[in-house]
Amino acid sequence: MIYGVGIDLVENSRMERIVKKWGPKFINRIFSIKEIQYCGKHAHSAIHYGARFAAKESFLKALGIGMGMGVKLSDIEVVNDENGKPSLKLCGEAKIIIKKAKISKIHLSLTHTKNYSMAVVVLEKK
Ligand SMILES: CC(C)(COP(=O)(O)OP(=O)(O)OC[C@H]1O[C@@H](n2cnc3c(N)ncnc32)[C@H](O)[C@@H]1OP(=O)(O)O)[C@@H](O)C(=O)NCCC(=O)NCCS
């Protein structure tokens, strides 16, 4: 059964401004080393940071919680398989909550244009 659905849309110009203003201070607090490497490989890295930020927020929405409610955004990592398909890898409090709620599968889809990045997360429970 479906436990929850979350969606989020990020304005890439806003992400670009934040990355430019705060640099590593912001990036290292929110994104994993692998995410930073992935985004850094692309000419327009803010688009990919935006998509990952949207994925993290979508996950919280699917859980029905918000930011500052125990789960750190850095506990939620987007990883891409060899075909580019993204999925979420969890650690810390995010992993604990998923286990407690008996969520058995997490679905993630990302899309982006020059201006916007978007993510959808579906949480499944047996
Ligand atoms: C999936 C695909 C249709 C998306 O194309 P698109 O419309 O140009 O791109 P969108 O902006 O809508 O989506 C981009 C996101 O799709 C996701 N994506 C990429 N490949 C995917 C796949 N095989 N399955 C599901 N999602 C995929 C990624 O999350 C990507 O964002 P990210 O790079 O920031 O993680 C296209 O990438 C495709 O056909 N991929 C096939 C596999 C492939 O060619 N891989 C090349 C690397 S080996």
Side-chain angles (χ1 to χ4, degrees):
M1 65 179 266
I2 303 296
Y3 177 92
V5 178
I7 187 166
D8 194 53
L9 182 67
V10 166
E11 219 171 311
N12 294 326
S13 58
R14 188 163 172 248
M15 179 58 64
E16 196 165 8
R17 276 200 304 278
I18 294 170
V19 168
K20 269 196 187 138
K21 186 170 178 194
W22 300 103
K25 207 171 166 184
F26 168 74
I27 289 176
N28 294 329
R29 191 162 50 84
I30 309 286
F31 301 100
S32 71
I33 290 169
K34 278 189 181 164
E35 288 176 322
I36 295 167
Q37 283 170 347
Y38 185 89
C39 297
K41 276 194 315 205
H42 294 86
H44 301 288
S45 58
I47 291 175
H48 301 273
Y49 279 124
R52 277 147 189 79
F53 194 87
K56 292 165 196 267
E57 291 214 316
S58 297
F59 172 77
L60 295 180
K61 286 183 181 176
L63 269 184
I65 64 173
M67 285 215 262
M69 289 174 71
V71 177
K72 289 187 282 181
L73 293 183
S74 56
D75 289 345
I76 312 158
E77 182 186 24
V78 175
V79 292
N80 296 76
D81 73 9
E82 63 280 7
N83 296 317
K85 186 181 188 318
S87 62
L88 286 181
K89 194 174 156 194
L90 306 176
C91 66
E93 193 60 30
K95 200 173 175 176
I96 293 168
I97 290 178
I98 283 296
K99 207 173 166 191
K100 269 191 201 155
K102 297 192 167 63
I103 287 158
S104 52
K105 202 147 199 254
I106 303 171
H107 304 270
L108 168 66
S109 192
L110 304 179
T111 188
H112 28 63
T113 61
K114 182 170 168 272
N115 296 324
Y116 297 99
S117 292
M118 190 170 140
V120 173
V121 168
V122 176
L123 302 178
E124 236 184 275
K125 186 179 170 161
K126 272 191 187 145

